[in-house]
Amino acid sequence: MYKFKYQTLFIPRHSKLPLFSSYSATATALLDPLTDPNIHIAQAPKPQFSHTLDPKFYLSTLINCKNVAHVRQVHAQVATNGMLVGDLIVANKLLYIYVQHKYLDDAYRLFDKMPERNPVSWSVMVGGFSKNGDYTKCFGTFRDYIRSGEVPDNYTLPCVIRVCRDTRDVKMGRLIHNFVCMFGLRFDHFVCAALVDMYAKCRAIDDAWRLFDRMVKRDLVTWTVMIGVCAECGMANKSLALFDRMKEEGILPDKVAMVTIVNACAALGAMHKAKTVHNYISSKNFSLDVILGTAMIDMYAKCGSVDFAWETFDTMRERNVITWSAMIAAFGYHGQGRKAIDLFPMMLRSGISPNRVTFVSLLYACSHAGLVDEGRKFFSLMQGDYCIRPDVKHYTCLVDLLGRAGRFDHAMNLIENMTVEKDEGLWGALLAGCRIHGQVELAEKAAKSLLEIQPKNPGHYVLLSNIYAKAGKWGDVAKIRELMSRRRLKKIPGWTWIETENEIHQFSTGDRTHPRSKEIYTELKSLSKKLELAGYIPDTNFVLHDVDEELKLGILYTHSEKLAIAFGLVGTPEGTTIRITKNLRVCGDCHTFSKFVSAITRRVIVVRDANRFHHFREGACSCGDYW
């Protein structure tokens, strides 16, 4: 504490001001607002004050303040009349108005001088730091709140919990949860909802589920959070089950909830679910604004129907740049690159300017359609005409485009001269190009850079191992597998899903657990004979194990894609489209197999793999065998 001309100066606990030894502007700035030389009161219209001590007068005046200069004038008048000491309601209102105007330093100086504080005072200060992103001071003030002996309320606790969510600090979140239990608020609706949200966003799914199931009352926001996090964590089927359960409990979703549900449906990739959700949206008369409409475009595209995605796009009255970018992306990963790039001039004519996402979608579309010249043109156009500096995603798309086309000199030149930081996506794109063209030496270089960034990702090791296997370097394959074993990394198992009659069926390679396995293998055996007569020859190069040819044929025969397709043939009406989803990239032999099946069975087969969609029809694939 320092004394200046009989005035007392308080230095806030969190102040970062420099030390000083003489009376200066810095010291004066910490005094009451009336004495602050940096405040030019004459520049702003002065509120008319009465010499009344009626708190209602000051509360009304504070509400009508247009800027911080006005607020400081009221503060000075209140301080002069002694209202800060005599009326906590006025002090709290003044504190709140400072926070509302985002003048946290003024707010904290006032807060630090308040001789008396109540839960409202603490809540306003904690909430103010939280909303303005000053998480250190938020936690520090909350700590002081606990030490003061006051019991936090159901406004302050959610504020601090949201900070744990935003910083992904689950350790601090669990500590706050302990305080919640200590203060008897474990069943409070607002606090529990904030905790569920925090655990979900911190990917502590088990904690979120336990708390969610114990909640006496769940509001729409809590349901929406759980539905969304399940979809984000690869449990989209559970998301849609929650949607059904929510409706059974009488909770009606709003438009925000429906966007989350549509996104969950997109993650699942099940067409029947997509149509059910669309029908529900129509029955409740939700308008297709840019947010919901764009989400539905993405949903239909990821459920395998770019035609339904286009129908949705075409019926929207209003579209923004995200809507156009989503439709361009949809055409791109369905292998319709020309349609994707034809949308670009249409977008410009509609008055919409492209953004970074638009060019990522365009470059991706060019990559998957082999449109090398067009892709390089868009990359140049982005910088030259629209002044958009490419980020690592744009470079990744271009490297992918060049790698797929076998232009590795251009790809390496681009990588060596790029100024943005390289990430795992970029090196992964180059490694994937090396796999296609058998570039073993370059693959080793890409893999080395990739493993420096993500040494714990088993997918990178597997991809390099596959490149070695394809080149017949079985010794190097063994070294990679030994390295994975030493680092306790396991290969991600391949799974394929198929939806029939509103039910999802899952298959792995050699799977015999399905109730209809006998029918599936009988159909597969019959199908194989027909395919061989039609000219199909199994490609054992895609069996990446050093075993004899007969065993390789047996492994190929039971790939999960083939089992799912065989089940689709026996489990769906003749002539209907078979839609399957694969968690990894579809193998080359299964790709050829699917083309032959589509020809001899006259079925359309839609395969969604980890990279894109393949539409097999009458013996051909939409990718043009460029994938």
Side-chain angles (χ1 to χ4, degrees):
M1 187 186 298
Y2 298 88
K3 298 267 186 182
F4 296 109
K5 296 185 179 181
Y6 308 105
Q7 299 225 28
T8 302
L9 176 65
F10 289 84
I11 301 177
R13 286 187 292 274
H14 301 292
S15 174
K16 295 182 179 179
L17 291 172
L19 294 174
F20 51 90
S21 57
S22 61
Y23 187 75
S24 65
T26 307
T28 310
L30 290 173
L31 298 174
D32 287 336
L34 198 60
T35 65
D36 189 340
N38 296 314
I39 301 173
H40 304 291
I41 295 176
Q43 293 178 3
K46 295 182 179 181
Q48 298 300 311
F49 294 113
S50 164
H51 291 294
T52 180
L53 295 180
D54 183 5
K56 292 181 181 177
F57 169 77
Y58 292 109
L59 294 174
S60 174
T61 306
L62 282 169
I63 291 170
N64 293 319
C65 285
K66 302 297 183 185
N67 55 50
V68 75
H70 290 173
V71 180
R72 284 169 173 160
Q73 290 173 53
V74 178
H75 184 175
Q77 186 72 17
V78 166
T80 301
N81 290 337
M83 295 294 292
L84 286 177
V85 176
D87 198 304
L88 191 55
I89 295 175
V90 174
N92 282 341
K93 189 66 176 180
L94 184 56
L95 191 67
Y96 173 77
I97 295 294
Y98 272 133
V99 168
Q100 193 177 43
H101 283 273
K102 298 184 179 180
Y103 278 81
L104 272 297
D105 290 340
D106 294 78
Y108 195 78
R109 278 196 290 269
L110 169 61
F111 178 78
D112 202 47
K113 293 178 184 179
M114 288 171 66
E116 181 187 354
R117 301 168 186 146
N118 65 3
V120 174
S121 319
W122 289 102
S123 296
V124 169
M125 209 64 249
V126 171
F129 285 131
S130 168
K131 289 176 183 175
N132 283 274
D134 194 337
Y135 300 141
T136 301
K137 286 185 179 178
C138 177
F139 284 135
T141 307
F142 179 72
R143 176 201 60 203
D144 294 341
Y145 187 9
I146 299 297
R147 289 175 177 176
S148 73
E150 293 275 7
V151 176
D153 56 20
N154 64 358
Y155 172 83
T156 313
L157 282 164
C159 283
V160 183
I161 293 165
R162 281 192 288 271
V163 172
C164 298
R165 174 200 67 188
D166 294 341
T167 57
R168 300 294 190 267
D169 191 346
V170 73
K171 186 177 179 180
M172 179 65 80
R174 290 195 173 103
L175 183 62
I176 304 298
H177 193 170
N178 289 337
F179 283 121
V180 168
C181 298
M182 185 190 304
F183 295 129
L185 291 169
R186 71 176 70 197
F187 297 115
D188 184 272
H189 165 64
F190 297 105
V191 175
C192 284
L195 282 169
V196 169
D197 185 33
M198 182 273 296
Y199 281 129
K201 295 294 167 48
C202 290
R203 293 294 185 269
I205 306 302
D206 291 340
D207 296 88
W209 265 110
R210 275 194 296 271
L211 194 55
F212 179 80
D213 283 335
R214 285 203 304 262
M215 287 179 71
V216 177
K217 181 184 176 184
R218 309 178 189 95
D219 66 359
L220 178 57
V221 174
T222 310
W223 282 101
T224 304
V225 165
M226 284 308 300
I227 288 169
V229 78
C230 285
E232 289 170 14
C233 294
M235 298 183 291
N237 212 10
K238 206 165 190 176
S239 290
L240 296 175
L242 274 175
F243 173 49
D244 293 334
R245 184 176 152 195
M246 178 179 79
K247 290 186 293 180
E248 288 169 6
E249 293 190 17
I251 304 294
L252 296 177
D254 60 6
K255 192 172 282 190
V256 174
M258 286 314 306
V259 169
T260 304
I261 292 156
V262 166
N263 288 337
C265 202
L268 185 62
M271 180 57 71
H272 180 84
K273 294 286 187 183
K275 288 181 178 177
T276 300
V277 169
H278 191 174
N279 289 338
Y280 183 85
I281 289 170
S282 300
S283 70
K284 298 299 178 184
N285 295 317
F286 286 114
S287 60
L288 289 188
D289 59 14
V290 289
I291 298 174
L292 183 56
T294 302
M296 286 186 60
I297 290 169
D298 185 57
M299 174 187 74
Y300 272 129
K302 288 179 178 173
C303 288
S305 178
V306 73
D307 293 334
F308 284 143
W310 175 256
E311 273 184 35
T312 305
F313 177 85
D314 203 35
T315 56
M316 289 174 65
R317 293 181 180 179
E318 184 185 355
R319 308 177 189 119
N320 63 9
V321 65
I322 301 172
T323 313
W324 284 93
S325 299
M327 196 64 238
I328 290 169
F331 279 128
Y333 52 73
H334 280 274
Q336 299 182 29
R338 286 289 174 191
K339 286 186 178 180
I341 63 178
D342 286 346
L343 275 183
F344 184 67
M346 290 172 60
M347 182 182 79
L348 298 180
R349 285 196 297 271
S350 73
I352 303 292
S353 296
N355 64 7
R356 311 180 79 84
V357 177
T358 312
F359 282 105
V360 169
S361 299
L362 287 164
L363 290 168
Y364 183 94
C366 291
S367 174
H368 283 267
L371 304 174
V372 179
D373 294 337
E374 290 85 347
R376 297 180 77 170
K377 179 183 173 184
F378 279 123
F379 191 79
S380 176
L381 188 72
M382 174 178 67
Q383 301 172 79
D385 288 22
Y386 295 98
C387 300
I388 298 174
R389 186 183 176 190
D391 59 27
V392 70
K393 291 182 180 177
H394 300 103
Y395 280 107
T396 299
C397 286
L398 195 56
V399 167
D400 187 53
L401 171 66
L402 295 169
R404 286 173 185 275
R407 299 190 183 183
F408 292 103
D409 289 341
H410 291 104
M412 286 307 299
N413 185 55
L414 184 73
I415 290 171
E416 286 165 3
N417 291 301
M418 61 188 282
T419 54
V420 300
E421 187 176 352
K422 304 169 185 66
D423 67 0
E424 66 278 2
L426 181 106
W427 291 114
L430 182 63
L431 190 59
C434 293
R435 177 195 53 77
I436 293 169
H437 296 281
Q439 293 283 324
V440 178
E441 189 176 331
L442 187 56
E444 290 174 332
K445 181 178 178 180
K448 182 181 177 182
S449 299
L450 196 53
L451 295 176
E452 285 175 0
I453 299 170
Q454 283 191 331
K456 296 293 184 182
N457 188 331
H460 305 328
Y461 296 85
V462 171
L463 187 51
L464 181 59
S465 173
N466 291 351
I467 292 169
Y468 283 140
K470 190 175 178 182
K473 294 192 162 190
W474 299 109
D476 290 319
V477 171
K479 287 178 184 176
I480 293 292
R481 289 177 180 167
E482 185 184 346
L483 183 60
M484 288 181 69
S485 178
R486 236 182 11 247
R487 294 183 177 178
R488 297 182 180 179
L489 301 174
K490 292 184 178 180
K491 178 181 176 181
I492 299 169
W495 295 95
T496 301
W497 295 267
I498 180 171
E499 180 193 23
T500 61
E501 297 179 353
N502 199 22
E503 189 177 350
I504 306 295
H505 302 265
Q506 180 176 294
F507 296 92
S508 61
T509 297
D511 202 335
R512 290 186 181 271
T513 60
H514 195 276
R516 298 181 68 177
S517 279
K518 189 174 180 180
E519 287 179 77
I520 292 168
Y521 278 90
T522 300
E523 175 67 21
L524 196 53
K525 189 174 181 179
S526 170
L527 197 58
S528 296
K529 291 178 180 177
K530 294 176 184 176
L531 295 183
E532 286 175 19
L533 290 173
Y536 165 66
I537 301 172
D539 189 346
T540 56
N541 287 323
F542 290 98
V543 178
L544 304 173
H545 298 276
D546 190 14
V547 294
D548 62 45
E549 286 296 305
E550 188 176 347
L551 191 51
K552 284 184 177 183
L553 285 170
I555 294 170
L556 271 184
Y557 174 69
T558 61
H559 271 192
S560 61
E561 299 97 308
K562 295 184 176 76
L563 296 176
I565 290 171
F567 173 70
L569 292 170
V570 299
T572 61
E574 193 172 332
T576 57
T577 298
I578 296 172
R579 301 177 188 276
I580 67 173
T581 301
K582 170 90 179 193
N583 68 327
L584 305 175
R585 182 181 180 275
V586 66
C587 91
D589 180 68
C590 287
H591 190 270
T592 304
F593 175 89
S594 301
K595 287 197 295 184
F596 275 92
V597 172
S598 71
I600 68 169
T601 63
R602 307 247 175 141
R603 294 277 202 123
V604 174
I605 301 171
V606 180
V607 178
R608 172 186 176 180
D609 73 5
N611 293 332
R612 59 172 299 154
F613 280 86
H614 300 266
H615 294 254
F616 299 96
R617 187 192 303 267
E618 297 177 357
C621 180
S622 59
C623 72
D625 296 337
Y626 187 88
W627 56 285

